[in-house]
Amino acid sequence: MCCVRTELQVLLVDFLKQENAVSHHTWEFQTSSPVFRRGQVFHLRLVLNQPLQSYHELKLEFSTGSNPSIAKHTLVVLDPRTPSDHHNWQATLQNESGKEVTVAVTSTPNAILGKYQLHVKTGKHILKSEENILYLLFNPWCKEDTVFMPDEDERKEYILNDTGCHYVGAARSIKYKPWNFGQFEKNVLDCCISLLTESSLKPTDRRDPVLVCRAMSAMMSFEKGQGVLIGNWSGDYQGGTAPYKWTGSAPILQQYYSTKQAVSFGQCWVFAGILTTVLRALGIPARSVTAFDSAHDTEKNLTVDTYVNENGEKITNMSRDSVWNFHVWTDAWMKRPDLPKGYDGWQAVDATPQERSQGVFCCGPSPLTAIRKGDIFIVYDTRFVFSEVNGDRLIWLVKMVNGQEDLHVISMETTSIGKNISTKAVGQDRRRDITYEYKYPEGSPEERQVMDHAFLLLSSEREHRRPVKENFLHMSVQSDDVLLGNPVNFTVILKRKTAALQNVNISGSFELQLYTGKKVAKLCDLNKTSQIQGQVSEVTLTLDSKTYINSLAILDDEPVIRGFIIAEIVESKEIMASEVFASFQYPEFSIELPNTGRVGQLLVCNCIFRNTLAIPLTDVKFSLESLGISSLQTSEHGTVQPGETIQSQIKCTPIKTGPKKFIVKLSSKQVKEINAQKIVLITK
């Protein structure tokens, strides 16, 4: 009697949840598809129409991208009963119980990133289902992965932490800006995987974090009909959201994913925030970094050139280079097998569209080691980043002599660019200064040697040296941050070789500007002649509050006051110049939130604010945001007079368990942003 062999069929495939997936935190993503990291084992449960026999054919096919092929590594075919080469994906039978089979699958540590479709083939029958989709990410827990990060505390910070901050303001007045990265939020990872597909990356390029970082840097900004976020530094944000109003990445990425339309509007910290989120979601350790007094060297000559007239007014059509009060970008962690030995580790990646790199608005990844050494031609864009943090600044005085422009350098500053480079500390809500990772200490022999090395690589002689002064040694200008509505004092400090009595003419030109150096409004010119005696002298210029108050309503941005001051010794005709910035201080406000809350139960936040300013605040609004609640909550209060105290209640309902950071912001026409925050433990 002969045996009839019936065809084997797979009726159902399940991805099983397992401990190593929990330890790799892939189950925290709010996605409909399972998420795994490359080099990590995962398990499949197959439900068959009959017990598996030795003569049955059983193959697993994992494919990614269009037109998948084995040759391009976009199609992986596995037989769980046949051992694979150790360089390839692995699949092994773990358990057989009647008509159910469990298979363990391990991808390679250099597998292609992205969305995979699973087909199960049994003879002529192939199980195809849109539900059999998985996402594969980089794996900083895997030693063989190029993004491996050995320290667990750093992995928690740079991969798993979904809240953090940016540092903004000025070098002398650093402000903390809370930011929700939200990489595990609904549709965020789906958006990131979609961005990989939308980018110019070939599928095989998606195995390389260097190329992925570069592509994601380009995809963050909108250009030629593609990209997540539209940059806007105009001060006019009609038709979109003012950049300072964003407090997290998730709403931006979710909106882009649902509409496939670029989101309006962003500035550097917003671009850095969404890029940090995207890289963390994809499995690349990332941190947001701020450099204060950051240069934009448009001429790519390693110097920042500013041209001023005799009143200290910047000549805008000549001054193409600029210095931003602060600039925020992202550092990504990876090995660099594409470079000579010694360039692994942190790499600078910038999503803010400033200069084209190989024809595209993107920047990096540039090794911090190369930046520190002045190896300016190490890819990618190291020369640009080097100038941002370590360029020399030249101040040119432009005079009209016999109808001709006469230019000469009146100041060469070697320590003014790239100060207090900052990031959030690992595991703590405090600032960590990482300037030393980007450059040697200012004024040190090593720092000057690096500059000489960079100029040598540029094959460019430094045409200018520090101006020789017979009497004048040094000039600096100090200003304290000013409470909005109060006068601003600028103290000019003059150091001379002589203590003899001399006369000095001081000219100052003041304007309201954005953090990028863009002029918003001319405020005034101040001139003063003083007699000075002694080797160190001080002269004070005072800017009345009336000169700036009315200009604050012009823009929907956080402004600063910039002063450019020129001092000339009457007797010797020696001239020096210096630039100074003054930021505004605002009153604080307090919030009252319980230490704990429950999912689905009302949570009440009490906000208390007293206007200690000398001016009324209009269009006052409180807003509360957290990754633990369903949506942004707001409360409006109109006008708050000087000395008036207001209280507000904002009610919300938590939807997720765990310690959740609640960010409360106060904004008005005059005060763009004050924030307070508290962590609340949400339980079931």
Side-chain angles (χ1 to χ4, degrees):
M1 185 173 179
C2 65
C3 177
V4 179
R5 296 184 179 183
T6 57
E7 185 178 350
L8 180 70
Q9 292 186 21
V10 178
L11 306 177
L12 179 68
V13 176
D14 279 340
F15 291 92
L16 299 180
K17 187 173 181 177
Q18 54 239 342
E19 284 304 313
N20 74 322
V22 174
S23 67
H24 287 71
H25 300 272
T26 51
W27 290 94
E28 293 185 29
F29 289 104
Q30 297 180 46
T31 64
S32 56
S33 300
V35 183
F36 304 105
R37 302 193 188 277
R38 60 187 194 178
Q40 166 197 354
V41 64
F42 58 91
H43 294 82
L44 303 172
R45 181 176 70 97
L46 309 181
V47 179
L48 311 174
N49 66 335
Q50 59 182 291
L52 183 64
Q53 304 296 331
S54 59
Y55 53 81
H56 284 144
E57 180 185 5
L58 177 61
K59 289 186 178 179
L60 308 177
E61 296 183 353
F62 294 90
S63 61
T64 185
S66 58
N67 302 315
S69 74
I70 293 175
K72 294 181 179 179
H73 307 283
T74 53
L75 174 63
V76 178
V77 180
L78 300 174
D79 184 338
R81 291 175 297 183
T82 304
S84 303
D85 182 275
H86 73 280
H87 294 297
N88 296 320
W89 289 46
Q90 305 289 322
T92 55
L93 287 177
Q94 291 284 292
N95 186 43
E96 295 183 56
S97 177
K99 297 179 182 180
E100 289 192 8
V101 174
T102 303
V103 181
V105 180
T106 307
S107 59
T108 57
N110 68 338
I112 292 171
L113 212 66
K115 178 180 180 180
Y116 282 81
Q117 172 79 56
L118 168 63
H119 294 158
V120 183
K121 186 176 181 181
T122 53
K124 297 178 181 179
H125 184 266
I126 300 178
L127 179 66
K128 295 182 179 181
S129 171
E130 289 301 317
E131 296 179 359
N132 294 336
I133 299 290
L134 66 94
Y135 289 159
L136 196 63
L137 309 180
F138 290 111
N139 191 353
W141 281 265
C142 176
K143 290 182 179 180
E144 290 77 29
D145 197 313
T146 48
V147 302
F148 173 65
M149 179 171 264
D151 187 276
E152 176 62 20
D153 289 337
E154 291 185 344
R155 288 195 294 256
K156 287 179 180 177
E157 182 66 52
Y158 301 131
I159 288 288
L160 305 179
N161 196 351
D162 56 3
T163 64
C165 68
H166 302 306
Y167 292 98
V168 297
R172 292 180 54 257
S173 178
I174 298 175
K175 298 178 181 179
Y176 175 97
K177 185 179 180 66
W179 192 264
N180 286 326
F181 293 108
Q183 65 268 34
F184 299 111
E185 296 301 291
K186 184 178 180 180
N187 288 339
V188 169
L189 180 60
D190 302 273
C191 180
C192 298
I193 298 295
S194 178
L195 287 169
L196 284 174
T197 305
E198 294 171 34
S199 74
S200 58
L201 281 178
K202 299 175 184 176
T204 49
D205 291 340
R206 298 205 303 258
R207 60 175 44 176
D208 184 352
V210 174
L211 299 178
V212 168
C213 277
R214 192 156 174 77
M216 293 302 97
S217 167
M219 288 298 297
M220 294 303 97
S221 63
F222 178 78
E223 185 188 22
K224 297 179 181 178
Q226 192 176 48
V228 173
L229 190 64
I230 297 173
N232 186 342
W233 287 264
S234 70
D236 179 4
Y237 306 114
Q238 293 185 28
T241 300
Y244 70 86
K245 292 183 179 179
W246 296 112
T247 55
S249 306
I252 298 170
L253 295 168
Q254 289 164 339
Q255 180 180 330
Y256 176 78
Y257 183 68
S258 64
T259 66
K260 295 304 178 186
Q261 298 292 318
V263 179
S264 302
F265 295 103
Q267 292 180 2
C268 70
W269 66 91
V270 190
F271 284 107
I274 59 174
L275 179 59
T276 300
T277 295
V278 168
L279 296 186
R280 287 185 183 183
L282 294 177
I284 301 175
R287 63 186 185 186
S288 285
V289 171
T290 303
F292 293 91
D293 294 336
S294 174
H296 183 175
D297 174 21
T298 59
E299 296 172 337
K300 302 180 181 179
N301 59 359
L302 307 185
T303 64
V304 182
D305 300 286
T306 303
Y307 298 85
V308 298
N309 62 23
E310 293 175 82
N311 293 324
E313 295 175 306
K314 183 188 288 187
I315 304 173
T316 54
N317 65 332
M318 298 179 69
S319 303
R320 291 184 292 273
D321 294 342
S322 61
V323 178
W324 294 19
N325 284 53
F326 67 89
H327 182 43
V328 190
W329 60 77
T330 299
D331 280 350
W333 178 273
M334 68 193 72
K335 292 178 181 177
R336 291 298 299 268
D338 59 317
L339 297 177
K341 187 177 180 181
Y343 295 107
D344 295 343
W346 288 115
Q347 319 281 319
V349 190
D350 196 346
T352 301
Q354 294 186 87
E355 294 283 336
R356 293 187 186 277
S357 173
Q358 297 180 343
V360 180
F361 276 123
C362 66
C363 181
S366 169
L368 266 58
T369 305
I371 299 165
R372 194 168 193 259
K373 291 179 177 179
D375 293 340
I376 59 174
F377 289 119
I378 290 291
V379 293
Y380 293 91
D381 309 303
T382 299
R383 176 166 60 171
F384 182 79
V385 183
F386 178 84
S387 293
E388 283 186 302
V389 300
N390 210 16
D392 285 345
R393 188 172 189 189
L394 303 178
I395 300 174
W396 299 76
L397 180 64
V398 182
K399 286 185 175 183
M400 295 303 295
V401 179
N402 298 324
Q404 299 290 324
E405 286 184 345
D406 178 54
L407 287 73
H408 63 277
V409 176
I410 57 174
S411 181
M412 178 178 172
E413 301 172 357
T414 61
T415 63
S416 64
I417 299 298
K419 296 176 183 174
N420 300 340
I421 303 176
S422 305
T423 191
K424 178 186 173 298
V426 173
Q428 302 177 55
D429 260 344
R430 65 173 181 84
R431 185 179 73 89
R432 179 184 167 207
D433 193 298
I434 56 170
T435 308
Y436 69 95
E437 294 186 36
Y438 275 85
K439 59 182 182 178
Y440 289 98
E442 292 287 8
S444 67
E446 294 89 349
E447 190 269 340
R448 286 293 90 192
Q449 289 167 9
V450 165
M451 286 301 298
D452 292 339
H453 172 62
F455 271 102
L456 186 64
L457 291 176
L458 197 61
S459 300
S460 171
E461 287 290 329
R462 277 198 260 190
E463 300 174 9
H464 311 286
R465 295 289 183 263
R466 192 186 302 274
V468 177
K469 305 293 183 183
E470 294 179 7
N471 195 359
F472 233 153
L473 286 177
H474 183 68
M475 169 187 170
S476 61
V477 185
Q478 292 182 354
S479 69
D480 294 327
D481 288 346
V482 60
L483 198 63
L484 189 68
N486 288 2
V488 191
N489 292 316
F490 297 97
T491 302
V492 183
I493 302 169
L494 306 171
K495 295 182 180 180
R496 301 177 297 149
K497 295 178 183 177
T498 178
L501 183 70
Q502 289 182 315
N503 294 288
V504 60
N505 290 329
I506 296 179
S507 301
S509 178
F510 300 91
E511 61 186 35
L512 200 68
Q513 68 172 35
L514 304 182
Y515 76 99
T516 59
K518 180 181 178 181
K519 177 181 175 181
V520 174
K522 176 67 184 286
L523 298 180
C524 68
D525 291 327
L526 296 178
N527 296 284
K528 192 172 188 177
T529 299
S530 299
Q531 286 190 329
I532 55 175
Q533 194 167 12
Q535 291 183 314
V536 180
S537 309
E538 293 185 0
V539 179
T540 300
L541 298 178
T542 300
L543 192 68
D544 191 274
S545 61
K546 294 177 182 177
T547 61
Y548 68 79
I549 283 294
N550 293 332
S551 298
L552 294 179
I554 294 175
L555 74 160
D556 199 9
D557 262 316
E558 179 83 24
V560 294
I561 292 176
R562 168 197 170 272
F564 207 98
I565 297 173
I566 294 178
E568 180 179 16
I569 301 292
V570 174
E571 288 78 7
S572 65
K573 303 299 181 184
E574 292 179 70
I575 297 177
M576 291 199 79
S578 186
E579 192 171 29
V580 66
F581 296 93
S583 301
F584 293 109
Q585 285 185 336
Y586 307 120
E588 296 182 351
F589 72 99
S590 60
I591 59 172
E592 296 174 352
L593 267 167
N595 294 323
T596 60
R598 288 182 178 274
V599 169
Q601 292 187 5
L602 203 63
L603 196 67
V604 178
C605 175
N606 292 309
C607 309
I608 304 166
F609 172 73
R610 181 172 184 269
N611 182 11
T612 58
L613 302 176
I615 58 172
L617 301 180
T618 58
D619 293 341
V620 173
K621 181 187 296 184
F622 290 101
S623 63
L624 181 148
E625 184 176 350
S626 173
L627 298 177
I629 61 176
S630 57
S631 61
L632 179 73
Q633 308 293 312
T634 60
S635 173
E636 298 184 3
H637 281 273
T639 300
V640 181
Q641 298 295 336
E644 183 182 355
T645 299
I646 60 170
Q647 295 191 37
S648 178
Q649 273 195 352
I650 303 181
K651 299 177 181 179
C652 63
T653 303
I655 59 171
K656 293 171 64 178
T657 60
K660 300 299 175 183
K661 182 182 289 185
F662 286 73
I663 301 171
V664 183
K665 290 176 58 175
L666 179 147
S667 62
S668 72
K669 282 284 188 183
Q670 296 75 20
V671 176
K672 306 307 178 189
E673 178 185 5
I674 316 172
N675 57 65
Q677 60 182 19
K678 182 176 179 178
I679 293 178
V680 179
L681 179 62
I682 306 299
T683 58
K684 291 184 178 179

